[in-house]
């Protein structure tokens, strides 16, 4: 009788341990959900705060369903990290309406509410038009030559600094190495 009671208590104890282990695995699965990398970022605010964000959310959900891509949503009102990243991306940019779509690999940005075709192109990493599709083209009365004169007057150092801001540290080092090699080649001649 004692052995039977001891065996049943051991079996009961083993079953309790197995059940506890299974519950831990289930809990860990919910707690440790790894984010899957996606180059696509959508900077937004909570639903109902801004109509443009709500409309863009609908467009993005539709494009995600069509193409099977995943867009990471970053709420700048709920996350300090998202807000600081957003501020870095729009720093010095005069044309930065909200919401913002950012492609990490192509470095392209889509500002404000845009149409579904442009968002679909953005998700695929295609080259986007430089001008906003809703803006009208400005024609210069003096012809195209006047526009070129303005480009020549731009400070090249200032332009290069703007372009350097978008480079990663590795890209900057590569660019500096190329400049050094070019300078060495000029000095040899």
């Amino acid at each position: 009788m004692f052995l039977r009671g001891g065996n049943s208590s051991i079996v009961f104890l083993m079953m309790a341990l197995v059940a506890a282990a299974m519950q831990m695995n289930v809990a860990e699965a919910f707690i440790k959900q790894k984010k899957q990398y996606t180059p696509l970022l959508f900077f937004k605010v909570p639903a109902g705060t801004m109509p443009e964000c709500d409309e863009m959310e609908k467009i993005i959900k539709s494009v995600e369903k069509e193409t099977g891509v995943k867009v990471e949503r970053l709420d700048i009102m709920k996350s300090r990290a998202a807000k600081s990243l957003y501020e870095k991306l729009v720093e010095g940019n005069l044309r930065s309406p909200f919401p913002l779509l950012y492609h990490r690999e192509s470095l392209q940005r889509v500002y404000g509410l845009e149409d579904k075709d442009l968002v679909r192109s953005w998700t695929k990493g295609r080259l986007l038009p430089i001008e906003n599709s809703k803006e009208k083209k400005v024609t210069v009365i003096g012809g195209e030559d006047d526009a070129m004169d303005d480009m020549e007057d731009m400070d090249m150092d200032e332009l290069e600094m703007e372009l350097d801001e978008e480079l990663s540290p590795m890209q900057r080092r590569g660019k500096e190495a190329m400049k050094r090699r070019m300078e060495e080649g000029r000095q040899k001649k």
Side-chain angles (χ1 to χ4, degrees):
M1 189 87 162
F2 179 72
L3 290 175
R4 282 189 194 162
N7 285 341
S8 65
S9 62
I10 291 174
V11 170
F12 178 74
L13 182 62
M14 292 294 279
M15 288 176 48
L17 287 173
V18 168
M22 288 174 58
Q23 284 180 341
M24 272 182 68
N25 289 340
V26 170
E28 284 179 10
F30 284 106
I31 293 170
K32 293 184 179 181
Q33 290 181 349
K34 277 193 171 182
K35 287 186 181 179
Q36 202 170 23
Y37 172 78
T38 176
L40 311 171
L41 300 177
F42 172 40
F43 292 91
K44 64 183 202 100
V45 292
T49 307
M50 184 179 254
E52 293 88 0
C53 282
D54 296 342
E55 191 63 33
M56 187 60 87
E57 179 70 36
K58 291 176 188 174
I59 292 170
I60 289 173
K61 280 184 181 178
S62 171
V63 170
E64 281 179 326
K65 193 178 273 187
E66 285 177 17
T67 61
V69 299
K70 183 73 176 144
V71 177
E72 186 176 346
R73 286 146 177 87
L74 300 172
D75 192 329
I76 66 165
M77 293 181 87
K78 292 182 179 177
S79 169
R80 285 185 192 174
K83 185 175 182 176
S84 66
L85 181 58
Y86 172 77
E87 288 171 352
K88 289 264 188 213
L89 290 173
V90 298
E91 187 175 53
N93 194 343
L94 300 176
R95 201 189 94 187
S96 58
F98 205 73
L100 169 67
L101 301 176
Y102 180 69
H103 197 292
R104 290 187 232 193
E105 293 171 358
S106 69
L107 304 177
Q108 294 191 82
R109 298 173 176 101
V110 176
Y111 294 103
L113 183 62
E114 282 293 342
D115 64 340
K116 189 174 181 179
D117 292 332
L118 187 81
V119 173
R120 189 180 303 113
S121 296
W122 169 79
T123 60
K124 294 178 181 179
R126 293 187 179 149
L127 185 63
L128 301 177
I130 294 171
E131 295 178 2
N132 190 335
S133 62
K134 294 178 184 174
E135 293 177 357
K136 295 180 181 174
K137 186 173 179 175
V138 177
T139 55
V140 180
I141 295 175
E144 293 296 314
D145 293 335
D146 289 344
M148 289 304 291
D149 290 340
D150 292 341
M151 289 296 286
E152 291 171 4
D153 292 341
M154 280 183 65
D155 183 16
M156 292 308 286
D157 291 333
E158 188 176 316
L159 181 62
E160 189 172 336
M161 284 176 52
E162 284 181 30
L163 294 174
D164 283 349
E165 288 177 5
E166 299 217 359
L167 297 177
S168 70
M170 183 176 275
Q171 290 172 326
R172 257 188 229 112
R173 286 192 303 267
K175 184 176 179 181
E176 290 167 4
M178 286 174 50
K179 282 183 180 179
R180 281 194 305 271
R181 284 192 296 257
M182 289 179 66
E183 288 296 320
E184 289 171 0
R186 287 182 193 148
Q187 291 173 359
K188 287 180 183 178
K189 287 181 181 182

